[in-house]
Amino acid sequence: MNKSYAEQFYYLMKLGRVFELRAKEEYMKGNIGGFLHLAIGEEAVHVGAVLGFGKGDIFVHYREHVYALARGMEPKNVMAELFGKVTGVSKGKGGSMHLYDPKFNFYGGNAIVGAHLPHAVGTAYARKYLGDTTGVLAAFGDGATNSGNFFEAINLAATWKVPVLFLCENNYYAIGTRIDRASPFTDLYIKAKEYMPVKQVDGMDVFAVFEAVREAKEYIETEGKPYFIEALTYRYEPHSMSDTGDYRSPRELKIAKERDPIEHLKRVGIERGLLTEEYINFVDNKVEQIVEEAVRFALESPEPGEEELYNDVFCEVCTDVIS
Amino acid sequence: MLYREALNKALDEMMEKDESVVILGEDVGFYGGNYKVTEGLYAKYGGKRVIDTPIAENSIVGTAIGMAIGGLRPVAEIMTVNFSLLAMDQIVNQLAKIRYMSGGKITLPVVVRMPQGVAKQLAAQHSQSLERIFASVPGLRVFVASDATTAYYGLKFAVSIDDPVIFLEHELLYHEKMEIEEEKNFSPYRARIKKEGDGITIVSYLKMFHDTMKAVPTVEKELGVSCEVIDLCSINPLDVSTIANSVKKTKHLVVVTEEPKTGAYADEIIYRVIEDTFYELDAPPLKICGEDVPTPYNRKLELMSIPTPEKIATEIIKWGKKHGI
């Protein structure tokens, strides 16, 4: 592990954390509407996965701000999307759950659990068909592994032999239903192991996630086949801002927070000489500024114009019809 | 030529022209398609372009969406519209919405082809017409093909545009003999006036178009007026103006569809047309649809559940006499 990676981990994880804490505040103020799903506590998985995966298409779920930021999407355009502004990455029409940017090979942000898994398989098929061996990353939660989408997607990926990395973020809860009440076993990699190689990693350790994803990426691209990683993680916040989260005990939360991924990275990074106090301080100040600027940008940005209501439903204007 | 061969010819030509066109679905490849629409294409283009899928309708559409994101132009076949109910999340929540939710950054040139309608004694789970569902979802184009000409040109048009298209065929038309009539500048957005007349405008599509044409001679003889028969090639968008212009001339509107009558797409056609023509109508519009029952297996009951040429003629004549036509 080189120093530059550890620095990138810290920068992106801290940016993600500060961005989301601020999004929570802005939600409480009424500047962000609808649903807001925070990934606080899960940053090691999101950042480790994006950096470990490198080049290639990414399909994720609705808890995706940190993925988007780690992919390089501008914090101000992501924040503006949360604010529903025209400067948002989806012109204010998608919101928190639907961040898209093909420039970054980033395809959502899907609000139907597991629905993006067949998309990832199809895109991997298309890339392979067009002679591109680059893999595709599909990240999803533990809840998705109980859905038909998941089983259909792993079956298709293994049958068609396409390079998809299935990354399961097991945070143990599908909203308020703990995994053992929804699945006969709680080690979720078991569900994929007859279809593809599987691995379980500590999702609170960004180094472990990064290494596992990097190895898996190499496998899927060399072999042209899928791979499954289960990252054990924890979300500190309730499922969304409208969830009280009272199905988890304070003790459980306290134990989880003792393994905070950012604190872990700081400690290990300094121990191994990969991070310095100076760098950490520098980043802590820097991300505050970036997020402050993102909020200012979002607040000052205009709303979409009224004409935007009808734009983007279809790409082809149907001039032939008079109605 | 058979109707299904016109569809096959359209697919073949589009695949020949553009390597990014691929087909996927259950039994479409090695087996040749359950209605033989894709027959011969597997041998010609190989399994990478004519892709056999497991029985996983949701993921047939889902992977087609992914393929479009990855640069292909997939044509997904759902064996019958009845199974599309298993793919509704991908069709309604994904295919129809991703372009809009992404602020126009992602285009999905996906065609989902499927036959619908009552065939012969396939019972309730294999005998539905669901166009009303697709037509009411913003973000989907919904095309219908009544004959070889619209099957051929309509499907080629569907594959060539960048928007998602639901392409509806009819199970009983596949083995009908018909020819492709040459059309220049075909657009499914224009309804076709298949028979001119000045007394009654009758709108229909798919199999009901043929049944309407069979009913027309009786109607004309009994009522002593001529019928103008309009065949739709697209139900969303709907070519309201062609129908409205016809109604302004005939002063009478009849819509014939096979679907159960409650909440039928026929209602939408009637409403959209009378918005423009209300004061010119000489009679309330007549809607002829299927009955509000799951389609029965028994042939006698099955025929009672849908419009037939005889029932179409009888209903129009009864309505015509009542309103002084």
Side-chain angles (χ1 to χ4, degrees):
Chain A
M1 179 65 56
N2 64 38
K3 189 169 175 175
S4 119
Y5 269 121
E7 288 184 351
Q8 284 183 63
F9 294 157
Y10 187 73
Y11 169 71
L12 291 170
M13 287 167 67
K14 189 74 186 192
L15 174 64
R17 175 76 55 99
V18 172
F19 182 97
E20 290 209 312
L21 285 168
R22 186 60 187 270
K24 186 179 173 185
E25 278 176 40
E26 296 302 320
Y27 186 92
M28 308 294 268
K29 285 188 209 163
N31 286 328
I32 296 172
F35 290 128
L36 183 70
H37 306 87
L38 302 174
I40 295 168
E42 301 184 2
E43 295 92 344
V45 181
H46 298 195
V47 169
V50 172
L51 294 192
F53 199 74
K55 196 168 153 258
D57 303 305
I58 296 185
F59 292 81
V60 291
H61 44 74
Y62 48 80
R63 198 181 303 286
E64 92 270 40
H65 311 138
V66 183
Y67 276 108
L69 297 173
R71 227 323 137 90
M73 285 159 76
E74 287 290 333
K76 61 181 188 174
N77 300 115
V78 176
M79 190 64 87
E81 187 60 36
L82 271 51
F83 278 57
K85 299 298 183 72
V86 74
T87 51
V89 292
S90 305
K91 294 207 285 200
K93 293 179 175 182
S96 161
M97 302 188 285
H98 305 293
L99 307 174
Y100 294 90
D101 203 334
K103 280 207 305 283
F104 293 94
N105 293 68
F106 196 86
Y107 301 102
N110 205 302
I112 305 297
V113 171
H116 57 300
L117 303 182
H119 302 173
V121 174
T123 300
Y125 186 97
R127 300 292 189 212
K128 192 172 175 179
Y129 173 89
L130 295 169
D132 179 353
T133 55
T134 313
V136 174
L137 174 65
F140 49 94
D142 44 275
T145 68
N146 301 319
S147 77
N149 277 309
F150 171 75
F151 290 102
E152 291 187 0
I154 60 171
N155 182 59
L156 275 164
T159 305
W160 286 351
K161 298 183 178 59
V162 290
V164 178
L165 170 54
F166 291 94
L167 174 65
C168 173
E169 303 166 27
N170 185 356
N171 68 16
Y172 309 104
Y173 287 89
I175 304 190
T177 301
R178 207 172 56 201
I179 188 67
D180 58 293
R181 296 174 57 220
S183 173
F185 36 81
T186 54
D187 285 327
L188 302 179
Y189 65 85
I190 294 170
K191 298 185 184 187
K193 74 179 170 53
E194 297 297 330
Y195 296 83
M196 59 191 73
V198 295
K199 184 165 193 162
Q200 190 179 57
V201 294
D202 177 2
M204 304 310 260
D205 176 353
V206 67
F207 298 102
V209 175
F210 176 84
E211 285 302 340
V213 170
R214 194 154 71 165
E215 277 171 29
K217 176 86 174 321
E218 194 176 325
Y219 171 89
I220 63 174
E221 292 185 349
T222 311
E223 301 290 322
K225 290 179 190 169
Y227 193 104
F228 180 98
I229 292 176
E230 176 186 7
L232 301 173
T233 185
Y234 202 85
R235 65 169 153 79
Y236 297 174
E237 298 292 320
H239 165 71
S240 74
M241 294 298 290
S242 51
D243 167 27
T244 56
D246 56 8
Y247 41 85
R248 305 184 298 188
S249 69
R251 183 168 169 272
E252 181 180 313
L253 266 169
K254 185 169 167 286
I255 293 169
K257 288 182 179 177
E258 281 165 7
R259 302 193 60 245
D260 184 74
I262 296 178
E263 291 306 315
H264 174 266
L265 167 61
K266 263 160 76 170
R267 194 173 60 250
V268 174
I270 289 169
E271 266 169 31
R272 295 188 195 161
L274 301 171
L275 292 175
T276 62
E277 293 285 355
E278 292 73 35
Y279 180 77
I280 287 167
N281 288 336
F282 167 75
V283 167
D284 289 354
N285 289 325
K286 182 79 183 165
V287 298
E288 290 289 348
Q289 284 169 27
I290 291 170
V291 170
E292 188 60 42
E293 166 60 20
V295 169
R296 195 182 59 77
F297 176 82
L299 274 171
E300 290 174 0
S301 288
E303 305 232 23
E306 287 180 6
E307 75 288 354
E308 279 297 330
L309 178 63
Y310 302 106
N311 287 344
D312 307 321
V313 180
F314 295 109
C315 46
E316 180 227 13
V317 180
C318 123
T319 50
D320 264 331
V321 71
I322 312 141
S323 60
Chain B
M1 171 178 265
L2 304 177
Y3 173 87
R4 66 170 167 81
E5 289 169 339
L7 293 163
N8 183 279
K9 183 172 155 70
L11 291 171
D12 188 13
E13 286 177 20
M14 294 311 281
M15 291 185 84
E16 180 90 50
K17 198 168 97 178
D18 182 354
E19 288 205 343
S20 68
V21 177
V22 298
I23 293 172
L24 69 160
E26 293 154 9
D27 286 331
V28 296
F30 184 75
Y31 184 82
N34 280 283
Y35 293 99
K36 293 190 164 56
V37 170
T38 55
E39 194 175 37
L41 300 177
Y42 180 83
K44 185 166 175 186
Y45 298 103
K48 283 186 181 157
R49 293 188 68 189
V50 187
I51 308 157
D52 283 318
T53 68
I55 302 171
E57 285 78 10
N58 196 53
S59 288
I60 292 171
V61 180
T63 52
I65 290 168
M67 287 174 187
I69 288 172
L72 301 183
R73 305 184 75 84
V75 181
E77 175 179 304
I78 299 293
M79 197 184 299
T80 80
V81 80
N82 307 284
F83 312 154
S84 76
L85 294 168
L86 288 151
M88 275 303 168
D89 174 58
Q90 291 294 343
I91 294 173
V92 177
N93 273 324
Q94 312 294 332
L95 185 60
K97 294 181 176 47
I98 286 178
R99 179 177 166 78
Y100 195 79
M101 293 195 305
S102 70
K105 283 182 178 169
I106 296 174
T107 58
L108 297 176
V110 174
V111 178
V112 182
R113 289 185 36 243
M114 44 204 169
Q116 68 165 20
V118 174
K120 279 186 184 144
Q121 293 192 272
L122 302 183
Q125 292 174 337
H126 280 69
S127 305
Q128 295 174 87
S129 291
L130 300 177
E131 66 269 37
R132 66 182 78 185
I133 298 179
F134 303 113
S136 66
V137 178
L140 299 177
R141 301 285 193 208
V142 185
F143 296 172
V144 282
S146 306
D147 62 23
T149 305
T150 46
Y152 172 71
Y153 288 106
L155 186 52
K156 283 179 75 166
F157 191 98
V159 177
S160 69
I161 64 173
D162 286 339
D163 287 322
V165 179
I166 301 297
F167 195 88
L168 297 173
E169 301 152 14
H170 195 288
E171 286 184 43
L172 282 185
L173 294 177
Y174 283 133
H175 300 291
E176 289 289 316
K177 272 196 182 155
M178 38 181 96
E179 295 306 318
I180 299 170
E181 295 159 21
E182 196 179 320
E183 291 238 8
K184 290 214 165 70
N185 305 317
F186 173 87
S187 169
Y189 303 141
R190 282 194 297 274
R192 300 188 307 168
I193 298 173
K194 291 298 288 179
K195 179 192 167 306
E196 293 195 359
D198 53 22
I200 302 171
T201 298
I202 311 177
V203 180
S204 63
Y205 47 87
L206 290 170
K207 180 170 176 288
M208 287 302 112
F209 161 70
H210 300 279
D211 287 4
T212 297
M213 289 298 272
K214 286 177 194 156
V216 160
T218 315
V219 172
E220 292 187 334
K221 193 169 156 230
E222 278 291 317
L223 295 178
V225 294
S226 64
C227 298
E228 182 142 295
V229 181
I230 297 177
D231 173 42
L232 301 182
C233 311
S234 166
I235 58 169
N236 192 357
L238 176 66
D239 180 2
V240 176
S241 70
T242 295
I243 308 170
N245 286 340
S246 172
V247 169
K248 283 171 190 167
K249 176 177 70 178
T250 65
K251 316 290 184 196
H252 296 95
L253 173 64
V254 178
V255 179
V256 187
T257 64
E258 195 178 299
E259 45 179 354
K261 64 176 79 153
T262 299
Y265 188 70
D267 298 350
E268 175 72 9
I269 299 174
I270 291 169
Y271 177 74
R272 295 276 295 279
V273 173
I274 66 173
E275 266 188 316
D276 269 7
T277 59
F278 184 76
Y279 294 106
E280 306 187 47
L281 288 173
D282 283 346
L286 173 65
K287 163 178 150 183
I288 302 174
C289 293
E291 296 302 317
D292 283 332
V293 295
T295 309
Y297 164 73
N298 175 276
R299 183 63 177 156
K300 182 184 78 180
L301 297 181
E302 183 180 64
L303 284 173
M304 285 170 67
S305 76
I306 49 170
T308 58
E310 297 71 31
K311 277 161 66 178
I312 294 167
T314 308
E315 288 203 36
I316 296 176
I317 291 161
K318 192 173 120 200
W319 165 84
K321 287 187 173 161
K322 181 177 169 191
H323 296 288
I325 296 176

